[in-house]
Short mmCIF file of all heavy atoms in Angstrom, two decimals:
data_model
loop_
_atom_site.label_atom_id
_atom_site.label_comp_id
_atom_site.label_asym_id
_atom_site.label_seq_id
_atom_site.Cartn_x
_atom_site.Cartn_y
_atom_site.Cartn_z
N LEU R 36 53.02 -72.23 -10.64
CA LEU R 36 53.29 -70.88 -10.18
C LEU R 36 53.03 -69.87 -11.29
O LEU R 36 52.83 -68.68 -11.02
CB LEU R 36 54.73 -70.75 -9.68
CG LEU R 36 55.04 -71.52 -8.41
CD1 LEU R 36 56.53 -71.51 -8.11
CD2 LEU R 36 54.25 -70.96 -7.23
N MET R 55 44.25 -64.29 -13.34
CA MET R 55 45.62 -63.80 -13.45
C MET R 55 46.21 -63.41 -12.09
O MET R 55 47.42 -63.46 -11.90
CB MET R 55 45.65 -62.60 -14.40
CG MET R 55 47.02 -62.18 -14.81
SD MET R 55 47.83 -63.50 -15.72
CE MET R 55 49.45 -62.82 -15.90
N GLU R 56 45.34 -63.06 -11.15
CA GLU R 56 45.81 -62.54 -9.86
C GLU R 56 46.81 -63.45 -9.14
O GLU R 56 47.85 -62.96 -8.68
CB GLU R 56 44.63 -62.23 -8.95
CG GLU R 56 45.03 -61.55 -7.67
CD GLU R 56 43.81 -61.17 -6.85
OE1 GLU R 56 42.93 -60.47 -7.38
OE2 GLU R 56 43.76 -61.58 -5.68
N PRO R 57 46.58 -64.76 -9.03
CA PRO R 57 47.56 -65.60 -8.32
C PRO R 57 48.94 -65.58 -8.99
O PRO R 57 49.95 -65.59 -8.31
CB PRO R 57 46.96 -67.01 -8.39
CG PRO R 57 45.53 -66.81 -8.70
CD PRO R 57 45.41 -65.53 -9.45
N TYR R 58 48.95 -65.54 -10.32
CA TYR R 58 50.22 -65.52 -11.03
C TYR R 58 50.92 -64.17 -10.87
O TYR R 58 52.14 -64.10 -10.78
CB TYR R 58 50.00 -65.84 -12.51
CG TYR R 58 49.28 -67.14 -12.70
CD1 TYR R 58 48.04 -67.19 -13.32
CD2 TYR R 58 49.82 -68.34 -12.23
CE1 TYR R 58 47.36 -68.39 -13.48
CE2 TYR R 58 49.14 -69.54 -12.38
CZ TYR R 58 47.91 -69.55 -13.01
OH TYR R 58 47.26 -70.74 -13.15
N LEU R 59 50.13 -63.13 -10.80
CA LEU R 59 50.67 -61.79 -10.56
C LEU R 59 51.36 -61.76 -9.20
O LEU R 59 52.49 -61.30 -9.08
CB LEU R 59 49.53 -60.78 -10.63
CG LEU R 59 49.86 -59.31 -10.48
CD1 LEU R 59 50.74 -58.85 -11.63
CD2 LEU R 59 48.57 -58.50 -10.45
N ILE R 60 50.69 -62.29 -8.20
CA ILE R 60 51.27 -62.33 -6.85
C ILE R 60 52.49 -63.24 -6.81
O ILE R 60 53.50 -62.93 -6.18
CB ILE R 60 50.19 -62.75 -5.83
CG1 ILE R 60 49.13 -61.66 -5.73
CG2 ILE R 60 50.82 -63.03 -4.46
CD1 ILE R 60 47.89 -62.05 -4.94
N ASN R 61 52.44 -64.38 -7.51
CA ASN R 61 53.58 -65.31 -7.54
C ASN R 61 54.81 -64.74 -8.22
O ASN R 61 55.91 -65.23 -8.00
CB ASN R 61 53.19 -66.60 -8.27
CG ASN R 61 52.30 -67.50 -7.46
OD1 ASN R 61 52.20 -67.37 -6.24
ND2 ASN R 61 51.63 -68.41 -8.13
N SER R 62 54.65 -63.73 -9.05
CA SER R 62 55.77 -63.22 -9.83
C SER R 62 56.95 -62.79 -8.96
O SER R 62 58.11 -63.04 -9.32
CB SER R 62 55.33 -62.06 -10.74
OG SER R 62 54.95 -60.93 -9.97
N VAL R 63 56.68 -62.18 -7.84
CA VAL R 63 57.78 -61.72 -6.98
C VAL R 63 58.46 -62.90 -6.30
O VAL R 63 59.68 -62.93 -6.16
CB VAL R 63 57.29 -60.67 -5.95
CG1 VAL R 63 58.42 -60.18 -5.08
CG2 VAL R 63 56.65 -59.49 -6.67
N PHE R 89 50.34 -54.49 -5.88
CA PHE R 89 50.05 -54.91 -7.24
C PHE R 89 50.89 -54.17 -8.28
O PHE R 89 51.20 -54.73 -9.33
CB PHE R 89 48.56 -54.79 -7.55
CG PHE R 89 47.75 -55.92 -6.99
CD1 PHE R 89 46.96 -55.74 -5.88
CD2 PHE R 89 47.81 -57.18 -7.56
CE1 PHE R 89 46.21 -56.79 -5.35
CE2 PHE R 89 47.08 -58.24 -7.04
CZ PHE R 89 46.29 -58.04 -5.94
N PHE R 92 54.11 -56.08 -8.31
CA PHE R 92 53.90 -57.41 -8.90
C PHE R 92 53.75 -57.31 -10.41
O PHE R 92 54.30 -58.12 -11.16
CB PHE R 92 52.66 -58.08 -8.30
CG PHE R 92 52.69 -58.25 -6.80
CD1 PHE R 92 51.52 -58.46 -6.11
CD2 PHE R 92 53.88 -58.19 -6.08
CE1 PHE R 92 51.52 -58.63 -4.73
CE2 PHE R 92 53.89 -58.36 -4.70
CZ PHE R 92 52.71 -58.57 -4.02
N GLY R 93 53.01 -56.31 -10.87
CA GLY R 93 52.84 -56.11 -12.31
C GLY R 93 54.13 -55.77 -13.00
O GLY R 93 54.42 -56.26 -14.10
N GLU R 94 54.92 -54.93 -12.36
CA GLU R 94 56.23 -54.55 -12.91
C GLU R 94 57.14 -55.77 -13.03
O GLU R 94 57.79 -55.98 -14.06
CB GLU R 94 56.86 -53.52 -11.96
CG GLU R 94 58.15 -52.94 -12.41
CD GLU R 94 58.67 -51.94 -11.38
OE1 GLU R 94 57.91 -51.05 -10.95
OE2 GLU R 94 59.87 -52.05 -11.02
N LEU R 96 56.22 -59.01 -13.14
CA LEU R 96 55.70 -59.96 -14.12
C LEU R 96 55.93 -59.47 -15.55
O LEU R 96 56.30 -60.25 -16.43
CB LEU R 96 54.21 -60.22 -13.89
CG LEU R 96 53.58 -61.31 -14.75
CD1 LEU R 96 54.30 -62.64 -14.58
CD2 LEU R 96 52.11 -61.46 -14.42
N PHE R 114 46.54 -56.30 -19.59
CA PHE R 114 47.28 -56.49 -18.35
C PHE R 114 47.28 -55.22 -17.52
O PHE R 114 47.07 -55.26 -16.31
CB PHE R 114 48.71 -56.93 -18.67
CG PHE R 114 49.54 -57.15 -17.45
CD1 PHE R 114 49.27 -58.19 -16.59
CD2 PHE R 114 50.58 -56.30 -17.14
CE1 PHE R 114 50.02 -58.39 -15.45
CE2 PHE R 114 51.34 -56.49 -16.02
CZ PHE R 114 51.06 -57.54 -15.18
N ALA R 117 43.94 -54.77 -15.90
CA ALA R 117 43.72 -55.77 -14.85
C ALA R 117 44.48 -55.45 -13.58
O ALA R 117 44.00 -55.70 -12.48
CB ALA R 117 44.10 -57.16 -15.35
N THR R 118 45.66 -54.88 -13.69
CA THR R 118 46.47 -54.60 -12.51
C THR R 118 46.06 -53.31 -11.82
O THR R 118 46.48 -53.05 -10.71
CB THR R 118 47.97 -54.53 -12.86
OG1 THR R 118 48.18 -53.52 -13.84
CG2 THR R 118 48.46 -55.87 -13.34
#
Side-chain angles (χ1 to χ4, degrees):
L36 292 171
M55 191 63 186
E56 186 176 305
Y58 305 118
L59 183 64
I60 293 170
N61 285 342
S62 67
V63 181
F89 281 105
F92 302 160
E94 184 180 311
L96 187 57
F114 180 68
T118 58

